[in-house]
Amino acid sequence: MFEAVLWISVTFISLAMIGLIYRVIKGPTVADRVVALDAIGISLVSVIALVSIVLETSAFLDIILLIGILTFIGTVAFSKFLEKGVIMEYDRNGDR
């Protein structure tokens, strides 16, 4: 019974990811696309965690951590890009 609930959860999260992919492609603004990408990263972490529970293994925990870190860095980079128009600013004088 518990395993069936986990697989149903994986199915619903996967369906939600399809909707988020649509939002990334058709999002009216760049901010909507950034939020959808962040939500896809969170959904991917949750799907991998649920599959890890179903398979009764801890082998995927490193992958979950890596995806979480990459999602956070990507969100911060996109936010900085939306705010300033560049991700990294370089000044010829050495000032940043």
Side-chain angles (χ1 to χ4, degrees):
M1 177 67 183
F2 182 66
E3 187 173 332
V5 170
L6 291 175
W7 283 116
I8 290 170
S9 300
V10 168
T11 303
F12 282 129
I13 294 171
S14 300
L15 291 174
M17 287 175 68
I18 292 171
L20 291 169
I21 291 171
Y22 174 78
R23 178 55 57 197
V24 168
I25 294 170
K26 293 290 225 178
T29 64
V30 177
D32 290 330
R33 292 182 172 130
V34 171
V35 170
L37 280 173
D38 190 39
I40 287 173
I42 294 169
S43 299
L44 188 60
V45 166
S46 63
V47 166
I48 293 172
L50 289 172
V51 169
S52 178
I53 292 170
V54 168
L55 297 178
E56 296 177 359
T57 182
S58 63
F60 298 122
L61 296 180
D62 294 334
I63 296 169
I64 291 171
L65 183 63
L66 179 67
I67 291 173
I69 291 169
L70 290 176
T71 301
F72 174 74
I73 292 172
T75 302
V76 169
F78 274 125
S79 300
K80 188 170 181 183
F81 176 74
L82 288 177
E83 181 182 350
K84 296 185 178 183
V86 294
I87 295 175
M88 297 181 77
E89 300 173 14
Y90 290 108
D91 190 14
R92 304 259 303 149
N93 297 331
D95 298 331
R96 288 191 180 173

